Amino acid sequence: MTTARGCYVEWSLHEPYSGVYNFEGQADIEQFLTISKQENMNVLIRPGPFISAERDLGGHPYWLLKEKPNIYLRSSDPNYTKYVKRWFSVLMPKIVPFLYGNGGNIIMVQIENEYGHNDLGSCDKEYMLWLRDLFHHYVGEQAQLYTTDECNLSFLKCGQIPNVFSTVDFAAVVNVTECFDHLRQVQKKGPLVNSEFYDGWVGFWDSPRPVRYSKDIIRVLKYFLATNVSFNFFMFHGGTNFGFTSGANTNGTTLAKSGYRPQLTSYDFSAPLDEAGDPTEKYHDIKQILKKANFPTASTPKIAPKGPYGTVNMLPVISLFDSVAQRLKPVFNNVPLCFEDMDINHGLVLYETILPPFGGLTKLPLVIKSLGDRAIIYLNYMKLGIMSRSNSNTTMEISVIGSNQKLSILVENQGRINDKRFLEDRKGILSNVTLGNYILGPWVMTGYPLNETSWLETINIQPNVKPPAFYKGIFVIPQDNKHTKPLDTFLDTSGWSKGVAFINGVNIGRYWPAVGPQITLYVPAPYLVLGLNTIVMVELEGASEDFTVKLVDKHRLDW
């Protein structure tokens, strides 16, 4: 049995802007493949272009939605394929030297990802054949091309490509023999492979995290070993959706009632190695079974010490409504524009307009027919309430009187859909906004991409600021005889409401303890330094009563 690791290639990471490429730092894929080879790990590489992976837009760069407003992702639409072809002309030459046939460690190359479950109402075989030929141009016979689809016969039939190896993916809760029977109907011969054997599942805000029990995983693992099935654990090491990389799922059948579900910052996935890389009970259970099957196993990693760095006082710095905090020039338009039309990827957009004059006190319904994703409504900067796509709440009654009343709507991008349904997921206000019979406008729109915080260093503290606002705190990590480098830690956001946190300028992700289940954010040691460290929080709704956060040595992912 060969040991291998799966490796997604996230297009949006490497081409954040059209024609602008990044292969530095964590985006250095050649260094990653080199290290994998040094560790004697073979690789199943997955260049997409769609990867899903619970990432924003399934790994697609947001600018595709700006370049061609009518683009059809994951299809033979030439508006889409021309960008895929251009991207592969940059990416694949970096991968080719690492193919197994070229002396490298990439043994398999996946074409697309679970295309059979695309929910587009059609199975675009032209697209898949085109993509196969594009891959073959670079890979040739130097590695095995393959597809993977979920345990469903129609999905496997749609995702299957002539002359490409087919695999299936599933969790331990399904009927395993039925899954492989489905696979045999589309692929009569060859080894049986589960290329994503799910040992956990993704978590969502405002929902309990899913549970995948060791006993079920061990039962299926024994079956795999007894019947010589090849498998790839997904995930073996849990991860983190740092920054704004986490996406969203749906559970509906129409875009208006899509059951929009934003995903957690944590991608711990209840994996055998947790988010911080520490072994879990699940890890030990799996290792015991592999040992009994005479599978070579490495030494068990030790649980790394964590830094309980204590309480940090967070001081209010500046309101988002302050002109100094508005890092982008406002955009003016008669109707609201979405994030993508304003060339804004993530973060927030503030939509503002002056209401028509009203003589006496008037109550009218405020309606945003199409909203992506969550809006805080203000009248003259006083908070009135919240509208959310998640619960289809896009109407509220407001009271107005007089003239020159300013309506402000702060819209948050909570992550673009990545689960194949409604993939062209644009953000912001996507329709007219009405107040009774009035269509509101014109609009002043200010973007907050929240991509860096260094400008706050020049801003004086403003003690009377209230959310939405920036808060800042400083803490010290001393050097001692036991630990000469910083340790991993966890930022405990208990008592705060909702926002985004930065450590030393690095966006460590969204927090939302007001709904949970995730309370802490993972802070890896490389993001910290000995001496002074800085925390910045963009709090949208309500700071904690004592204006503090804590850096603790225990993760809280379940309330």
Side-chain angles (χ1 to χ4, degrees):
M1 188 176 291
T2 300
T3 302
R5 67 188 302 173
C7 169
Y8 282 123
V9 182
E10 190 166 3
W11 185 0
S12 58
L13 174 66
H14 298 288
E15 193 178 2
Y17 304 99
S18 182
V20 178
Y21 299 99
N22 172 33
F23 292 95
E24 302 294 326
Q26 66 173 347
D28 189 343
I29 188 169
E30 292 165 295
Q31 177 68 1
F32 173 84
L33 292 170
T34 299
I35 293 172
S36 296
K37 187 175 182 181
Q38 291 170 349
E39 295 295 326
N40 298 315
M41 294 289 290
N42 289 322
V43 171
L44 281 64
I45 200 163
R46 312 168 76 179
F50 170 80
I51 62 171
S52 185
E54 286 69 59
R55 303 291 272 188
D56 186 81
L57 203 56
H60 286 103
Y62 85 98
W63 52 260
L64 286 172
L65 303 179
K66 174 181 76 77
E67 294 277 312
K68 295 290 182 181
N70 297 318
I71 198 169
Y72 293 98
L73 305 180
R74 305 182 74 199
S75 80
S76 54
D77 175 6
N79 290 324
Y80 176 61
T81 57
K82 76 172 187 179
Y83 289 114
V84 175
K85 185 177 181 180
R86 186 183 75 177
W87 158 231
F88 273 40
S89 73
V90 176
L91 170 68
M92 296 306 289
K94 296 180 181 294
I95 290 175
V96 166
F98 294 93
L99 298 175
Y100 190 79
N102 294 331
N105 55 327
I106 296 175
I107 58 174
M108 298 178 71
V109 181
Q110 183 175 310
I111 299 177
E112 243 266 357
N113 187 58
E114 296 180 335
Y115 182 77
H117 188 191
N118 60 49
D119 289 317
L120 301 177
S122 64
C123 196
D124 191 341
K125 287 294 187 180
E126 179 185 347
Y127 166 61
M128 294 301 283
L129 289 171
W130 175 85
L131 203 52
R132 177 200 65 185
D133 293 344
L134 181 64
F135 271 93
H136 192 267
H137 171 74
Y138 293 102
V139 176
E141 305 302 323
Q142 306 310 307
Q144 177 68 57
L145 296 179
Y146 77 105
T147 61
T148 188
D149 282 288
E150 297 168 68
C151 175
N152 178 292
L153 183 56
S154 65
F155 296 168
L156 284 161
K157 285 181 176 179
C158 175
Q160 190 270 341
I161 309 174
N163 301 317
V164 174
F165 184 65
S166 296
T167 72
V168 67
D169 58 33
F170 53 79
V173 295
V174 304
N175 184 322
V176 177
T177 55
E178 182 179 70
C179 291
F180 287 128
D181 286 344
H182 292 331
L183 183 58
R184 275 287 176 247
Q185 291 189 53
V186 300
Q187 184 167 266
K188 303 300 182 185
K189 295 187 289 186
L192 296 173
V193 178
N194 181 342
S195 56
E196 290 186 20
F197 178 38
Y198 299 112
D199 50 33
W201 199 243
V202 61
F204 302 93
W205 293 110
D206 204 15
S207 299
R209 285 197 310 148
V211 177
R212 293 288 185 267
Y213 295 105
S214 283
K215 62 181 179 65
D216 295 320
I217 294 164
I218 296 306
R219 170 178 51 80
V220 176
L221 182 56
K222 288 179 177 179
Y223 174 88
F224 288 166
L225 295 171
T227 56
N228 200 30
V229 168
S230 296
F231 59 93
N232 175 42
F233 282 112
F234 188 100
M235 305 270 291
F236 196 79
H237 186 325
T240 310
N241 294 312
F242 291 116
F244 298 115
T245 54
S246 60
N249 279 38
T250 65
N251 57 14
T253 55
T254 66
L255 189 57
K257 298 181 179 180
S258 63
Y260 175 81
R261 304 180 70 198
Q263 291 147 359
L264 300 179
T265 296
S266 172
Y267 203 72
D268 180 84
F269 211 75
S270 65
L273 295 176
D274 67 16
E275 188 171 358
D278 294 330
T280 65
E281 182 181 348
K282 192 178 290 184
Y283 173 93
H284 295 293
D285 291 342
I286 291 171
K287 184 171 183 177
Q288 185 177 14
I289 296 302
L290 294 177
K291 272 187 174 180
K292 288 182 179 178
N294 296 317
F295 186 82
T297 58
S299 60
T300 299
K302 296 180 180 179
I303 295 177
K306 306 297 185 296
Y309 294 126
T311 300
V312 182
N313 293 313
M314 302 297 295
L315 298 175
V317 180
I318 192 168
S319 167
L320 264 74
F321 297 138
D322 193 306
S323 60
V324 177
Q326 298 172 358
R327 312 307 295 168
L328 299 181
K329 291 182 179 180
V331 176
F332 301 86
N333 202 61
N334 286 331
V335 298
L337 299 174
C338 67
F339 279 46
E340 293 74 17
D341 285 345
M342 290 183 282
D343 200 15
I344 296 171
N345 188 2
H346 295 301
L348 310 161
V349 170
L350 180 65
Y351 295 80
E352 296 189 296
T353 190
I354 300 300
L355 297 181
F358 295 93
L361 183 63
T362 305
K363 291 185 178 181
L364 292 171
L366 179 70
V367 179
I368 306 175
K369 187 176 181 180
S370 184
L371 173 65
D373 299 307
R374 190 171 186 272
I376 308 176
I377 314 300
Y378 303 88
L379 186 61
N380 300 324
Y381 300 119
M382 296 293 293
K383 180 181 173 182
L384 299 182
I386 292 170
M387 295 186 185
S388 174
R389 173 187 188 182
S390 293
N391 57 20
S392 300
N393 174 24
T394 56
T395 301
M396 69 166 46
E397 189 174 75
I398 68 172
S399 298
V400 292
I401 187 173
S403 59
N404 295 319
Q405 303 291 296
K406 179 179 281 190
L407 178 73
S408 302
I409 305 174
L410 185 64
V411 180
E412 178 190 3
N413 171 1
Q414 294 184 283
R416 293 183 180 85
I417 292 171
N418 61 69
D419 72 340
K420 300 166 278 291
R421 301 181 182 95
F422 322 119
L423 193 59
E424 287 83 30
D425 186 25
R426 292 171 175 83
K427 298 302 179 183
I429 296 178
L430 311 172
S431 65
N432 279 320
V433 180
T434 60
L435 181 62
N437 294 324
Y438 297 93
I439 298 176
L440 300 181
W443 293 88
V444 179
M445 292 158 283
T446 306
Y448 301 84
L450 303 182
N451 50 9
E452 62 95 18
T453 60
S454 61
W455 60 274
L456 283 169
E457 296 174 8
T458 63
I459 307 299
N460 294 323
I461 300 298
Q462 300 179 23
N464 296 322
V465 165
K466 296 180 180 179
F470 290 84
Y471 293 77
K472 184 177 178 180
I474 294 174
F475 64 100
V476 176
I477 299 179
Q479 180 173 341
D480 57 41
N481 294 329
K482 190 174 182 181
H483 302 298
T484 57
K485 295 181 179 179
L487 304 175
D488 287 359
T489 188
F490 304 98
L491 179 67
D492 188 335
T493 62
S494 299
W496 295 73
S497 295
K498 189 180 198 305
V500 183
F502 297 78
I503 298 284
N504 293 331
V506 177
N507 186 337
I508 61 170
R510 302 175 176 99
Y511 63 87
W512 199 1
V515 303
Q518 181 176 358
I519 305 299
T520 55
L521 294 176
Y522 174 51
V523 185
Y527 291 171
L528 301 169
V529 296
L530 295 176
L532 291 178
N533 293 261
T534 302
I535 302 175
V536 170
M537 297 172 70
V538 185
E539 172 58 48
L540 300 180
E541 296 179 44
S544 71
E545 290 185 2
D546 61 1
F547 294 95
T548 66
V549 293
K550 293 182 175 63
L551 292 161
V552 298
D553 57 5
K554 294 286 189 300
H555 217 354
R556 284 184 61 196
L557 294 176
D558 298 291
W559 284 293

